Amino acid sequence: LYLCMSDSLLREYAPDRVEALLRTGREGVTMAEFPGLPVALPSDGIPLSRVILSCYEEAGVAPNVLLTTAYPQMFRALYFQGTAAFFATGMILSDHLRNRPAGVPPLLAFPLRLNGHFIKREITLLTNRHRYLSKPAKHFISLTQTFFAAIELERTESGAPED
């Protein structure tokens, strides 16, 4: 799980620590380092929101919630404007980095820590071997497995923390 924000937002809310955060942020951050930072949170019904709120509880700070939504597309709009930070899994972050519009400044993404550890999200693909699967369904499963294997390979080669 990553805390994502624009460079301008980082400079506004942590002006005295920008260079240090840019240097060491890859090792992970806690919400204690960003009190008052405006954020967009996933809706309460989304399990990820409970994990994020646990990060705030551990840090002993209250989130400065600008927006709560079930639509991650809204997070991007706030980032593009430098208005709020957002939280993204590695999948969402990879998609964002691949599809960043021209002219939009690079996204800063800091791995988030909880209880001293990176927050990891498991992705599981389950199938029932005793159920008939059509050729298109089998093909879809094969494509899904190939896609996630490529992500895992990319993650391993880049040395990025798993999430």
Side-chain angles (χ1 to χ4, degrees), residues 7-76:
D7 183 73
S8 62
L9 191 63
L10 176 64
R11 291 182 187 283
E12 182 179 345
Y13 282 88
D16 54 329
R17 298 178 297 120
V18 171
E19 296 309 317
L21 285 167
L22 291 175
R23 241 185 351 268
T24 63
R26 238 188 122 98
E27 298 166 16
V29 297
T30 67
M31 293 317 300
E33 298 175 73
F34 299 96
L37 180 71
V39 295
L41 291 179
S43 300
D44 289 340
I46 298 174
L48 190 58
S49 67
R50 286 189 297 271
V51 173
I52 294 166
L53 292 176
S54 294
C55 292
Y56 280 101
E57 287 174 22
E58 178 185 73
V61 296
N64 177 11
V65 181
L66 203 61
L67 173 72
T68 302
T69 181
Y71 301 102
Q73 300 87 344
M74 296 296 295
F75 299 160
R76 291 180 182 169

Side-chain angles (χ1 to χ4, degrees), residues 21-138:
L21 285 167
L22 291 175
R23 241 185 351 268
T24 63
R26 238 188 122 98
E27 298 166 16
V29 297
T30 67
M31 293 317 300
E33 298 175 73
F34 299 96
L37 180 71
V39 295
L41 291 179
S43 300
D44 289 340
I46 298 174
L48 190 58
S49 67
R50 286 189 297 271
V51 173
I52 294 166
L53 292 176
S54 294
C55 292
Y56 280 101
E57 287 174 22
E58 178 185 73
V61 296
N64 177 11
V65 181
L66 203 61
L67 173 72
T68 302
T69 181
Y71 301 102
Q73 300 87 344
M74 296 296 295
F75 299 160
R76 291 180 182 169
L78 293 171
Y79 154 70
F80 293 154
Q81 299 166 5
T83 305
F86 66 96
F87 301 89
T89 62
M91 295 278 303
I92 292 172
L93 181 59
S94 293
D95 178 62
H96 177 79
L97 294 174
R98 273 193 301 275
N99 299 305
R100 183 173 53 117
V104 172
L107 175 73
L108 300 176
F110 301 102
L112 200 53
R113 290 185 169 270
L114 179 62
N115 299 319
H117 301 285
F118 291 114
I119 300 170
K120 298 179 181 183
R121 305 285 295 174
E122 295 271 334
I123 297 176
T124 306
L125 174 64
L126 300 173
T127 60
N128 184 341
R129 286 187 287 187
H130 303 294
R131 182 173 179 198
Y132 170 77
L133 293 173
S134 65
K135 280 188 177 183
K138 288 178 183 177

